[in-house]
Amino acid sequence: MGIHIPDSLVKVLLEARKIGVLTGAGISAESGIPTFRGSGGLWEGYPVEKVATVEGFVEDPELVWRFYDERRKNIARAKPNRAHIALAEMEKHYDMWVITQNIDGLHLEAGSKNVIEMHGNIWRVRCTSCDYRGENREVPLGEIPPRCPKCNSILRPDVVWFGEPVYGVEKAFQVARESDVFFVIGTSAQVHPAASLPYIAKDYGATVVEVNIEKTPVSIIADYVLLGRATEVLDSLLRRLREAWR
Ligand code: NAD
Ligand code: ZN
């Protein structure tokens, strides 16, 4: 049983040296963290422009922090799933980077070392006035909105909101250019610049492998489209690789 992994893909992976992986909300869905798509412009019940923009935050920091407090409660309960763990295992065999749009920190928790969190991390905070940055793992938050330990201004979540520049973009593009194989896992690949990465990888000669429960715009350029849940697909893939690594 399991997902069929073509022999030709196994061969490509056994010859590969550098691997890039782009992940989105879909890889964390099986950890119990809801994805965003298909929610009719609502993010867990909140209008996106209120809770994921600087304007929304300036207007009502308390509402935004209450929203993030709820998400933090949910993410605190979530554990890395077999897909996160499979990627951490693969990193031991390859020169590999995971580029994620997720803010849940589950790749790091699963043991991946080379992780670019393009949209930040929900456990980090930064000051809206001074240069303070730090970690805050309080669940639930003791004070809403939380205050800066240096200057007492309001802290914000260190996550990237709509219209803000993403983290690690240079490195992410470099990974896309240099990868022999580029995986796209659990992302609808519609938010740029992350969405351009599979196309760049393809242009620079990578074998592009998509893993998703349904087809996406990336499917057209992907060399392999493995339809199924991320845990099932990566389980099947890793089973094939382990046989060969033995
Ligand atoms: P998205 O919600 O737009 O798309 C999720 C994709 O995952 C879809 O293509 C869907 O078909 C696929 N999917 C769902 N379940 C799957 C499974 N079990 N296995 C494989 N694929 C599955 O997510 P996105 O592309 O990451 O973009 C949404 C934005 O929302 C991102 O910017 C991200 O920062 C943010 N977000 C993050 C989290 C998180 O940190 N876990 C959760 C929700 C949203
Ligand atoms: Zn400060």
Side-chain angles (χ1 to χ4, degrees), residues 126-132 147-155:
R126 60 186 170 94
C127 185
T128 51
S129 311
C130 75
D131 62 1
Y132 175 79
R147 299 263 165 188
C148 177
K150 265 172 80 179
C151 76
N152 207 41
S153 299
I154 292 177
L155 292 173

Short mmCIF file of all heavy atoms in Angstrom, two decimals, residues 126-132 147-155, ligand 2:
data_model
loop_
_atom_site.label_atom_id
_atom_site.label_comp_id
_atom_site.label_asym_id
_atom_site.label_seq_id
_atom_site.Cartn_x
_atom_site.Cartn_y
_atom_site.Cartn_z
N ARG A 126 8.68 41.20 18.27
CA ARG A 126 9.60 42.33 18.13
C ARG A 126 8.88 43.62 18.47
O ARG A 126 7.65 43.72 18.39
CB ARG A 126 10.24 42.37 16.74
CG ARG A 126 9.30 42.51 15.58
CD ARG A 126 10.14 42.39 14.29
NE ARG A 126 9.33 42.29 13.10
CZ ARG A 126 9.00 43.34 12.35
NH1 ARG A 126 9.38 44.55 12.67
NH2 ARG A 126 8.27 43.16 11.27
N CYS A 127 9.68 44.62 18.85
CA CYS A 127 9.13 45.87 19.35
C CYS A 127 8.68 46.75 18.18
O CYS A 127 9.30 46.76 17.12
CB CYS A 127 10.17 46.59 20.19
SG CYS A 127 9.51 48.09 20.94
N THR A 128 7.60 47.50 18.40
CA THR A 128 7.13 48.41 17.36
C THR A 128 7.88 49.75 17.39
O THR A 128 7.73 50.56 16.48
CB THR A 128 5.62 48.69 17.53
OG1 THR A 128 5.38 49.09 18.89
CG2 THR A 128 4.79 47.45 17.21
N SER A 129 8.71 49.99 18.47
CA SER A 129 9.45 51.27 18.54
C SER A 129 10.96 51.09 18.50
O SER A 129 11.64 51.79 17.77
CB SER A 129 9.14 52.03 19.84
OG SER A 129 7.77 52.11 20.06
N CYS A 130 11.50 50.17 19.31
CA CYS A 130 12.96 50.04 19.35
C CYS A 130 13.38 48.77 18.61
O CYS A 130 12.58 48.13 17.94
CB CYS A 130 13.46 50.05 20.81
SG CYS A 130 13.16 48.52 21.72
N ASP A 131 14.68 48.39 18.77
CA ASP A 131 15.19 47.26 17.98
C ASP A 131 15.05 45.93 18.73
O ASP A 131 15.62 44.92 18.31
CB ASP A 131 16.65 47.52 17.57
CG ASP A 131 17.56 47.66 18.79
OD1 ASP A 131 17.05 47.54 19.95
OD2 ASP A 131 18.77 47.88 18.62
N TYR A 132 14.28 45.90 19.83
CA TYR A 132 14.14 44.66 20.61
C TYR A 132 13.48 43.54 19.79
O TYR A 132 12.46 43.74 19.13
CB TYR A 132 13.32 44.91 21.88
CG TYR A 132 13.05 43.62 22.64
CD1 TYR A 132 14.03 43.05 23.45
CD2 TYR A 132 11.83 42.95 22.50
CE1 TYR A 132 13.80 41.85 24.11
CE2 TYR A 132 11.60 41.75 23.17
CZ TYR A 132 12.60 41.20 23.97
OH TYR A 132 12.37 40.01 24.60
N ARG A 147 4.22 43.86 26.18
CA ARG A 147 5.03 45.10 26.16
C ARG A 147 6.52 44.80 26.06
O ARG A 147 6.99 43.77 26.54
CB ARG A 147 4.78 45.90 27.44
CG ARG A 147 3.34 46.32 27.64
CD ARG A 147 3.17 47.73 27.15
NE ARG A 147 1.76 48.08 26.98
CZ ARG A 147 1.38 49.21 26.40
NH1 ARG A 147 2.27 50.07 25.95
NH2 ARG A 147 0.10 49.49 26.27
N CYS A 148 7.24 45.74 25.47
CA CYS A 148 8.68 45.60 25.28
C CYS A 148 9.42 45.70 26.61
O CYS A 148 9.21 46.66 27.35
CB CYS A 148 9.17 46.69 24.33
SG CYS A 148 10.95 46.67 24.10
N PRO A 149 10.32 44.72 26.92
CA PRO A 149 11.07 44.77 28.17
C PRO A 149 12.09 45.92 28.18
O PRO A 149 12.56 46.32 29.24
CB PRO A 149 11.79 43.41 28.22
CG PRO A 149 11.75 42.87 26.84
CD PRO A 149 10.57 43.50 26.15
N LYS A 150 12.41 46.46 27.01
CA LYS A 150 13.41 47.54 26.95
C LYS A 150 12.75 48.91 27.05
O LYS A 150 13.24 49.79 27.75
CB LYS A 150 14.19 47.45 25.63
CG LYS A 150 15.51 46.68 25.76
CD LYS A 150 16.19 46.43 24.42
CE LYS A 150 16.96 47.64 23.90
NZ LYS A 150 17.61 47.31 22.60
N CYS A 151 11.62 49.11 26.31
CA CYS A 151 11.09 50.48 26.21
C CYS A 151 9.59 50.57 26.52
O CYS A 151 9.01 51.64 26.45
CB CYS A 151 11.37 51.05 24.82
SG CYS A 151 10.28 50.39 23.55
N ASN A 152 8.98 49.44 26.86
CA ASN A 152 7.57 49.38 27.26
C ASN A 152 6.56 49.69 26.14
O ASN A 152 5.37 49.81 26.38
CB ASN A 152 7.30 50.26 28.48
CG ASN A 152 6.12 49.75 29.28
OD1 ASN A 152 5.98 48.53 29.46
ND2 ASN A 152 5.24 50.64 29.73
N SER A 153 7.04 49.84 24.91
CA SER A 153 6.10 49.99 23.79
C SER A 153 5.41 48.65 23.51
O SER A 153 5.81 47.62 24.05
CB SER A 153 6.83 50.42 22.52
OG SER A 153 7.46 51.65 22.71
N ILE A 154 4.40 48.68 22.66
CA ILE A 154 3.70 47.45 22.30
C ILE A 154 4.59 46.56 21.43
O ILE A 154 5.25 47.04 20.51
CB ILE A 154 2.39 47.80 21.55
CG1 ILE A 154 1.42 48.49 22.52
CG2 ILE A 154 1.75 46.56 20.94
CD1 ILE A 154 0.13 48.94 21.85
N LEU A 155 4.62 45.26 21.77
CA LEU A 155 5.33 44.29 20.92
C LEU A 155 4.38 43.82 19.83
O LEU A 155 3.16 43.84 19.99
CB LEU A 155 5.77 43.08 21.74
CG LEU A 155 6.85 43.29 22.79
CD1 LEU A 155 7.02 42.01 23.62
CD2 LEU A 155 8.17 43.70 22.15
ZN ZN B 2 11.09 48.47 22.62
#
